[in-house]
Amino acid sequence: MLHSLSGRAESAMQARLLTVLRDQGPLPRTALADRLQVSRTTIAAEVGRLSEIGLTQETGPAQSRGGRRSTMVALADDIRFVGIAIGATGTTVGVTDGRLDVLRTEKVDCRIDMGPDLVLRAALDHVRRLLDELGVERPMGVGVGVPGPVDFGRGVSVAPPLMPGWDGYPVRDTVSRELGCPAVLDNDVNVMAVGELHAGVARHARDFLFVKIGTGIGCGVVVDGELYRGVNGCAGDIGHIQVRGDGRRCVCGNTDCLEAYAGGAALARDATEAAERGRSAVLADLLAEHGLLRACDVGTAVARGDLAAATLLRESGQRVGEVVAGLVSFFNPGLIVIGGRVSGLGHALLAEIRGTAYQRSLPLATGNLPIVLSELVDAGGVIGASRLVSAEVFAPAVAT
Amino acid sequence: MLHSLSGRAESAMQARLLTVLRDQGPLPRTALADRLQVSRTTIAAEVGRLSEIGLTQETGPAQSRGGRRSTMVALADDIRFVGIAIGATGTTVGVTDGRLDVLRTEKVDCRIDMGPDLVLRAALDHVRRLLDELGVERPMGVGVGVPGPVDFGRGVSVAPPLMPGWDGYPVRDTVSRELGCPAVLDNDVNVMAVGELHAGVARHARDFLFVKIGTGIGCGVVVDGELYRGVNGCAGDIGHIQVRGDGRRCVCGNTDCLEAYAGGAALARDATEAAERGRSAVLADLLAEHGLLRACDVGTAVARGDLAAATLLRESGQRVGEVVAGLVSFFNPGLIVIGGRVSGLGHALLAEIRGTAYQRSLPLATGNLPIVLSELVDAGGVIGASRLVSAEVFAPAVAT
């Protein structure tokens, strides 16, 4: 029943119309005309054209108790986007409709250091199964996030420190070819930030930061409702900002990087050391049980009342808070969203980040600054990746 | 001969036209039509209207050796803007033409802690004299920069730590009333950043940072060719970012702020200490000679081969470099311009900032990142302030 779609917007006007329908639709034609500040005749003509190429549908006047009502316009029911959010220790794939509501999502266990061939194959296998189950022949686009720097224009990942085999790998073109649709590639943090902008706590924010604390630490920067990527696409790489420390060496070769003290990898390492040196019986038990410790084990130990684990979590939060304080002074954002797997360790971490950031920043910048946890969890990456490719698909092929 | 001007742009099209003429004019009508992507008829009509209200003038076809040439259009010859750049230890005032070329500029000795009444009176006295000398009855607008946070919307300075008496003072409205023209108020660093964008080394940059090292330290943030002010207008307040240190107390109440170690005030204080404790004979001589030491004395001592002074300058540069490295990781700018009075101490300081910033940032972000000294010196603030108010004057009174 669902047919394949190859239509794309033909003009800037159509692109704006599709974007409004994606973010605020379905809407009556009259409301569309108001929002785009054009006549109803123009809207009727453009919607007619978009319906012909399979991008919108008109659902007829809504049921009325009297007065005549305007025809409702919606994105076509059968539009499907795919989001693939690749993390250091696992991938989340999902399928959304045109409004980017997640229809189906799934987690795939695989480590980024298995290399691009295996990681992408696993992700694509799961995507194909989800599409099958949903009866989708071909999605309209696929967005991909990877946990490292990306050359956005070329669609390849670049010299990623934790990702052997990924340097220069044509992720975008591979995924596009395999699924037979347009694809975009961005780093995982940008993708998650866009997810927050679309469906998360940052829905109504214009200038905000999304700080991801996973195995590594990164930051998505949104300026005036748009992702800011920097001139080389590596804006937000805050994991290697210097913090006060004891000269600890980071994987990047520098010393005292934030990531050398905070984030999932640092927590796991420090927890293992605490367990092995007899500073925490709880962590030692968990180590004996699992064979190795991960960041989530620190959370478990904290929940069991372990003091050493609580100290680790607090110190990690303080380091993140120091860097966040600097970003607040520099960027004066309206909102900071904390996400990523380690942020799942909860409010103790958030409390430290907040405490340090508020204390270190000037009152003018922090007076009304909410620092909150993301509520999207894994869906954020899928929604953000879908949104990035939807913008690509909805953009006109030629400028008008 | 010069008459007073009260005309303002009447539409978004006129505003774009005036901006193109300000930044790239004079231009033939044909070139204007190309740049604004409208017909020559439209350009002719709009220019005609702007000439009627005294904002543009047509200079007739340029001399030709044969073929007919398009009529040249320029901003009206008699447009004058005033820029007032107030610093912690002195003010620079200037008058520009419509293209923001500085016609006359003057320095006014006065300290910001003399309070707004005295500082503004001194600045306005000098402005009036310059206007008199130039035969200007009334300028078209005046831009003002002050060395502290500003509520841009209300045009008042806000709780400035170094500026007793300025908190909530209606700087914008006072200056507007005194000179009888529209005024804008921004902080000095933003004003200087805009000056660099208009006429400095950042002329062709879209995303850059302007780091001002004066008595204090601040940063102007330009995103996609526009000043980024942050949600409360205090973006770029980097003087209170925490650096590695010995717990030194800052005037803001926190410890280890960048300004507690670097910038003019810190240099002057550390130089005085070095002189008093016998660590530098040259600085001790300068102290005996002047009664007090300023940042520029450190430069003098360095030029005389004083080791203690060179160390002070180097350490100051390293601290600034640390913070700049963090900004590079976060913001991935295409250019960093270093300005302000202390930057006048020269290339030794710049070398330290560069060395530390390049070493601490990831290769992807610093591969093509120039870190350069401003070449505008005092004119930067005047040009930037004039540009800010020109944008206000050229903007249409009602949206079209």
Side-chain angles (χ1 to χ4, degrees):
Chain A
M1 194 183 71
L2 295 169
H3 57 81
S4 82
L5 295 162
S6 60
R8 292 178 76 143
E10 294 160 335
S11 66
M13 165 79 75
Q14 287 183 8
R16 286 170 58 210
L17 215 157
L18 292 167
T19 304
V20 167
L21 289 174
R22 179 193 70 190
D23 299 342
Q24 302 164 40
L27 286 167
R29 271 199 210 154
T30 46
L32 276 172
D34 286 351
R35 265 165 237 220
L36 272 65
Q37 296 191 288
V38 294
S39 70
R40 292 197 206 182
T41 321
T42 304
I43 288 293
E46 296 289 353
V47 168
R49 181 67 194 131
L50 286 170
S51 295
E52 268 174 43
I53 58 177
L55 288 169
T56 59
Q57 60 192 35
E58 296 178 84
T59 55
Q63 291 192 359
S64 159
R65 280 169 299 199
R68 186 161 164 250
R69 290 171 70 171
S70 177
T71 306
M72 292 296 286
V73 183
L75 287 179
D77 256 353
D78 54 1
I79 292 178
R80 295 292 177 268
F81 294 112
V82 170
I84 301 178
I86 301 173
T89 57
T91 297
T92 307
V93 301
V95 178
T96 77
D97 61 14
R99 296 200 59 214
L100 313 184
D101 285 335
V102 178
L103 304 176
R104 206 68 78 82
T105 181
E106 201 162 314
K107 285 190 185 184
V108 188
D109 270 336
C110 61
R111 295 183 54 85
I112 194 75
D113 54 15
M114 290 160 59
D117 289 329
L118 283 176
V119 169
L120 290 179
R121 190 189 305 160
L124 288 168
D125 282 351
H126 281 78
V127 166
R128 286 201 189 88
R129 194 156 53 70
L130 292 184
L131 291 173
D132 260 2
E133 289 171 15
L134 291 163
V136 181
E137 193 180 308
R138 192 193 295 187
M140 187 163 266
V142 51
V144 185
V146 291
V150 157
D151 183 330
F152 185 75
R154 290 169 56 223
V156 305
S157 49
V158 184
L162 302 169
M163 293 166 59
W166 289 83
D167 189 22
Y169 194 93
V171 178
R172 183 190 63 195
D173 293 348
T174 302
V175 170
S176 172
R177 191 180 57 241
E178 289 284 328
L179 295 180
C181 63
V184 296
L185 175 70
D186 209 327
N187 78 60
D188 61 340
V189 185
N190 282 350
V191 160
M192 291 165 86
V194 171
E196 294 296 332
L197 180 65
H198 189 81
V201 284
R203 259 193 318 279
H204 305 292
R206 301 297 298 169
D207 302 302
F208 75 93
L209 301 179
F210 174 79
V211 176
K212 182 207 157 199
I213 314 177
T215 303
I217 297 176
C219 179
V221 186
V222 175
V223 175
D224 199 21
E226 298 285 336
L227 205 52
Y228 172 80
R229 290 194 173 85
V231 295
N232 304 298
C234 56
D237 198 352
I238 64 170
H240 302 279
I241 290 182
Q242 193 169 24
V243 294
R244 292 182 303 170
D246 50 22
R248 199 175 288 187
R249 175 82 43 191
C250 177
V251 287
C252 76
N254 267 319
T255 53
D256 288 334
C257 293
L258 174 60
E259 275 187 17
Y261 298 95
L267 272 178
R269 183 205 54 211
D270 292 348
T272 306
E273 195 183 291
E276 288 172 344
R277 299 202 177 171
R279 289 203 302 271
S280 162
V282 178
L283 286 170
D285 287 351
L286 288 166
L287 177 58
E289 199 177 320
H290 301 152
L292 58 82
L293 287 178
R294 294 176 304 169
C296 59
D297 294 316
V298 177
T300 308
V302 171
R304 292 188 193 164
D306 184 65
L307 197 65
T311 304
L312 286 181
L313 204 59
R314 197 170 59 242
E315 285 176 356
S316 179
Q318 282 168 357
R319 300 298 166 97
V320 176
E322 272 179 41
V323 168
V324 164
L327 303 185
V328 169
S329 295
F330 172 72
F331 187 71
N332 186 203
L335 169 68
I336 292 180
V337 185
I338 312 280
R341 260 161 221 277
V342 174
S343 77
L345 300 188
H347 283 271
L349 184 73
L350 182 67
E352 287 300 331
I353 296 174
R354 269 191 191 137
T356 309
Y358 288 149
Q359 187 207 323
R360 282 290 331 168
S361 313
L362 295 183
L364 190 60
T366 49
N368 295 303
L369 176 66
I371 301 179
V372 298
L373 286 180
S374 165
E375 292 163 5
L376 291 177
V377 199
D378 291 322
V382 169
I383 295 168
S386 297
R387 175 153 157 153
L388 284 174
V389 76
S390 77
E392 182 85 9
V393 170
F394 290 167
V398 288
T400 51
Chain B
M1 194 182 71
L2 294 169
H3 57 81
S4 83
L5 295 161
S6 59
R8 292 180 75 144
E10 294 161 334
S11 67
M13 165 78 74
Q14 288 183 8
R16 285 171 59 209
L17 215 158
L18 293 167
T19 304
V20 167
L21 289 173
R22 180 193 69 191
D23 299 343
Q24 301 164 44
L27 286 168
R29 270 199 210 156
T30 46
L32 276 172
D34 285 352
R35 265 165 236 219
L36 272 65
Q37 296 190 289
V38 295
S39 71
R40 293 198 205 180
T41 321
T42 305
I43 288 294
E46 295 290 353
V47 168
R49 181 67 194 131
L50 286 170
S51 295
E52 270 175 41
I53 58 177
L55 289 169
T56 59
Q57 60 193 35
E58 295 177 84
T59 54
Q63 291 192 359
S64 159
R65 282 168 298 199
R68 182 158 172 254
R69 288 170 72 171
S70 177
T71 307
M72 292 295 286
V73 183
L75 287 179
D77 256 354
D78 55 1
I79 292 177
R80 295 293 178 266
F81 293 112
V82 171
I84 301 178
I86 302 174
T89 57
T91 297
T92 306
V93 302
V95 179
T96 77
D97 62 14
R99 297 200 57 214
L100 314 185
D101 285 335
V102 177
L103 304 175
R104 208 68 77 83
T105 180
E106 201 162 315
K107 285 190 185 186
V108 187
D109 269 336
C110 64
R111 297 184 51 86
I112 193 75
D113 55 16
M114 291 159 59
D117 289 330
L118 283 177
V119 168
L120 289 179
R121 191 190 304 160
L124 288 169
D125 282 351
H126 282 77
V127 166
R128 285 201 190 88
R129 194 158 51 70
L130 292 184
L131 291 173
D132 260 4
E133 289 171 15
L134 290 162
V136 181
E137 192 178 310
R138 192 193 296 188
M140 187 164 268
V142 51
V144 185
V146 291
V150 156
D151 183 329
F152 185 75
R154 290 170 55 223
V156 306
S157 50
V158 186
L162 302 167
M163 295 166 59
W166 290 83
D167 190 22
Y169 193 92
V171 178
R172 183 190 64 195
D173 292 349
T174 302
V175 170
S176 171
R177 190 180 58 242
E178 290 286 328
L179 295 179
C181 63
V184 296
L185 174 71
D186 209 327
N187 77 62
D188 62 341
V189 185
N190 282 348
V191 161
M192 292 166 87
V194 170
E196 295 294 333
L197 180 66
H198 189 81
V201 285
R203 259 191 319 278
H204 305 292
R206 302 297 298 169
D207 302 303
F208 75 93
L209 301 179
F210 174 80
V211 176
K212 182 207 156 198
I213 314 177
T215 304
I217 297 177
C219 180
V221 186
V222 175
V223 175
D224 199 21
E226 297 284 336
L227 206 52
Y228 173 79
R229 291 194 172 84
V231 296
N232 304 298
C234 57
D237 198 351
I238 64 170
H240 301 280
I241 288 182
Q242 192 169 25
V243 293
R244 292 182 304 168
D246 51 20
R248 200 175 286 186
R249 176 80 44 191
C250 177
V251 288
C252 76
N254 266 319
T255 52
D256 288 333
C257 293
L258 174 61
E259 275 188 17
Y261 297 95
L267 271 177
R269 183 205 54 212
D270 291 348
T272 306
E273 194 183 291
E276 288 171 344
R277 300 203 176 170
R279 290 203 301 271
S280 162
V282 178
L283 287 170
D285 287 350
L286 289 166
L287 178 58
E289 198 177 320
H290 302 153
L292 58 83
L293 288 177
R294 294 176 304 168
C296 59
D297 295 316
V298 177
T300 307
V302 171
R304 294 187 192 165
D306 184 64
L307 197 66
T311 303
L312 286 180
L313 203 58
R314 197 170 59 241
E315 285 176 354
S316 179
Q318 282 168 358
R319 300 297 166 97
V320 176
E322 270 178 45
V323 168
V324 165
L327 304 185
V328 169
S329 295
F330 172 72
F331 187 70
N332 186 204
L335 170 69
I336 293 180
V337 185
I338 312 280
R341 259 159 222 276
V342 173
S343 76
L345 301 188
H347 284 270
L349 184 74
L350 182 66
E352 288 300 331
I353 296 174
R354 272 192 190 136
T356 310
Y358 288 149
Q359 187 208 323
R360 281 294 325 172
S361 311
L362 294 184
L364 191 61
T366 49
N368 295 303
L369 176 67
I371 302 180
V372 298
L373 286 180
S374 166
E375 292 162 4
L376 291 177
V377 200
D378 289 325
V382 170
I383 296 168
S386 296
R387 173 151 158 154
L388 284 174
V389 77
S390 77
E392 182 85 9
V393 170
F394 290 166
V398 287
T400 52

